[in-house]
Amino acid sequence: MKNFNPIIINLLLTAVCACTNDDATETAPPAEAVPICWHVKPEEVMSSRAMIESSGGKTADKVLQEACTPGLGGQSIGIWADLNAGESVLYNIFSDVELIYQDKEDGNPYSYWNYPGEPLIWSRFGTYRFRAYYPRSIKDYVLSTSNATTFVIEEYNTATMQEDVLVAYKQVNTNYDNLYIPVELNMKHAMAALQFRFRFEKGYEDADHLTSFWLQNSDKRDFASVGLLIYGTEDNPNEIDWQEAYQPLESQKIYYWENSGLLFDSHAGSTDTVAVAYTAAGTTKGTEYATNNGNLLIIPQNSDGTVNLCFTTRNGGSTVYRVPIPKETGTGVGNSQFIPGHQYIYTIIITETNLQVKLSIAPWNLLKSSVGLDLNE
């Protein structure tokens, strides 16, 4: 974008529209050249590095702004834009252009959300399609043919990447929409999140330490750790569609994590202590899974009830405790899907004779429903 002259771009796009849209003369063009500016509004998010959980009372907007500030968060947003001018489509007006949060001379007058180079000027006639994703650091996984019309992230491996992927789509018709206000990008979560909490049954007094945790497929290999994201279809440009690409072998420990020992206990007359897997403090292996405040990011997919949650404790020594994750999630088709933008909190309750698993389901930061299931050890 740095080598483009906004006046030349405006004349070019106007010429494209004038040649392909016979109705264009019915609407008066803007009185002056208007630059394309941005306003970014994320869904409620959950952390700092991977946007999972805002801390310190910061709003979702503030967390994302800090993440995309140079020298602070070091992340950015990638943007594509196409222009439909009647019978012609001008692709890649923006082609994975980097959007950061930093003040800029002669930049965005509404906020610090700016892109490099001279500002692009709105064409006088036509419909723009904008598509954005965060973080732009995953751009190597974005299909090279992606644009504002079709956006694909391929071979996204949650076993090596634990980034909270956010996406947005916006359409602007320059014949009718107000070009003097910034384009609003409503960023939404493309991943699902799991959290695993350990505690003793109420009234059962004991103490132990969680020392390791992982997921493991059965011989059915239903759980996928790698997926392909197709964002936007012809019928629904805002649809998030994940397709499973790789299901780990039955012998493979998925998201393996070790800790020096996280205490969980229960005592009469005192507050119980809960241990959360993938907590950063005390982590000795699997640090890449301990960056999201105890949340594990997964590919949204069907829940088949065949993947096992596995763990060890200090008192149990080398004994591996293994429990299938319940098929029922309370969301999606048949109430058995992990869907984008939802957090699934599994509480493993340890009693004298068995293990009990309870599930809470919520759009991130907003509890909606709960499902309880008892499972034998």
Side-chain angles (χ1 to χ4, degrees):
M1 298 301 298
K2 291 182 178 180
N3 298 324
F4 290 166
N5 185 303
I7 297 178
I8 293 175
I9 292 175
N10 188 45
L11 291 175
L12 171 63
L13 300 186
T14 302
V16 171
C17 294
C19 294
T20 57
N21 189 346
D22 295 335
D23 297 328
T25 55
E26 295 181 5
T27 305
E32 59 185 72
V34 181
I36 299 175
C37 297
W38 306 99
H39 173 63
V40 179
K41 182 166 182 57
E43 286 184 332
E44 274 306 310
V45 292
M46 291 188 313
S47 99
S48 49
R49 173 184 171 274
M51 305 299 296
I52 292 279
E53 230 170 56
S54 50
S55 60
K58 295 178 182 177
T59 64
D61 294 52
K62 184 65 174 177
V63 174
L64 186 56
Q65 288 166 8
E66 290 183 354
C68 294
T69 298
L72 186 60
Q75 294 285 11
S76 60
I77 294 171
I79 298 178
W80 278 268
D82 299 340
L83 172 62
N84 189 327
E87 297 178 358
S88 300
V89 177
L90 187 59
Y91 293 100
N92 295 333
I93 296 169
F94 283 97
S95 181
D96 200 14
V97 169
E98 185 177 31
L99 188 66
I100 62 174
Y101 193 77
Q102 186 177 54
D103 195 14
K104 176 184 175 185
E105 186 177 356
D106 298 326
N108 188 345
Y110 306 100
S111 74
Y112 283 0
W113 287 109
N114 283 293
Y115 50 93
E118 297 292 332
L120 183 65
I121 303 302
W122 287 107
S123 168
R124 295 174 183 269
F125 303 105
T127 299
Y128 283 84
R129 289 176 296 217
F130 298 99
R131 201 170 292 276
Y133 74 104
Y134 169 94
R136 192 169 176 267
S137 58
I138 66 169
K139 63 181 180 179
D140 289 344
Y141 297 90
V142 176
L143 193 65
S144 60
T145 56
S146 290
N147 51 46
T149 304
T150 304
F151 177 81
V152 177
I153 296 177
E154 55 181 350
E155 300 298 320
Y156 191 83
N157 189 346
T158 57
T160 58
M161 291 180 292
Q162 282 288 296
E163 297 287 357
D164 183 7
V165 179
L166 305 175
V167 292
Y169 177 82
K170 181 68 174 180
Q171 185 169 298
V172 176
N173 188 322
T174 59
N175 290 307
Y176 309 108
D177 294 327
N178 185 350
L179 306 184
Y180 294 89
I181 61 175
V183 178
E184 185 165 291
L185 297 175
N186 293 307
M187 309 293 291
K188 61 181 183 177
H189 299 282
M191 311 295 292
L194 308 182
Q195 188 176 104
F196 302 93
R197 296 171 170 263
F198 290 80
R199 68 173 177 84
F200 284 103
E201 184 181 30
K202 298 290 185 182
Y204 177 59
E205 298 186 26
D206 206 342
D208 204 346
H209 293 77
L210 181 67
T211 54
S212 70
F213 186 89
W214 68 94
L215 299 184
Q216 196 161 353
N217 267 328
S218 70
D219 56 356
K220 297 182 182 298
R221 296 179 63 184
D222 290 319
F223 181 84
S225 59
V226 182
L228 178 145
L229 169 63
I230 301 174
Y231 179 44
T233 64
E234 185 174 346
D235 295 330
N236 183 1
N238 227 342
E239 181 178 350
I240 295 174
D241 178 24
W242 281 96
Q243 298 180 6
E244 298 179 19
Y246 174 71
Q247 295 82 11
L249 298 172
E250 180 183 5
S251 60
Q252 185 174 345
K253 294 180 178 181
I254 317 169
Y255 314 122
Y256 182 77
W257 167 85
E258 279 187 13
N259 193 278
S260 57
L262 287 178
L263 173 68
F264 59 102
D265 62 18
S266 179
H267 301 281
S270 64
T271 302
D272 295 344
T273 303
V274 176
V276 180
Y278 302 115
T279 294
T283 292
T284 55
K285 289 186 180 180
T287 55
E288 62 270 36
Y289 310 126
T291 56
N292 298 321
N293 293 344
N295 291 279
L296 182 71
L297 300 180
I298 67 166
I299 302 296
Q301 57 191 284
N302 289 327
S303 173
D304 295 289
T306 58
V307 64
N308 294 299
L309 61 86
C310 307
F311 65 96
T312 62
T313 69
R314 185 175 294 174
N315 291 348
S318 61
T319 301
V320 174
Y321 301 94
R322 190 182 307 265
V323 185
I325 292 180
K327 179 176 181 178
E328 184 178 359
T329 65
T331 56
V333 178
N335 287 325
S336 59
Q337 288 183 309
F338 299 114
I339 65 175
H342 280 62
Q343 180 190 41
Y344 302 84
I345 302 175
Y346 291 92
T347 302
I348 296 88
I349 303 171
I350 298 176
T351 69
E352 188 173 3
T353 58
N354 67 0
L355 299 176
Q356 184 184 81
V357 177
K358 289 190 175 181
L359 167 65
S360 298
I361 312 140
W364 287 351
N365 295 340
L366 178 62
L367 186 65
K368 287 216 43 160
S369 59
S370 62
V371 178
L373 296 98
D374 291 339
L375 300 174
N376 292 327
E377 183 177 340

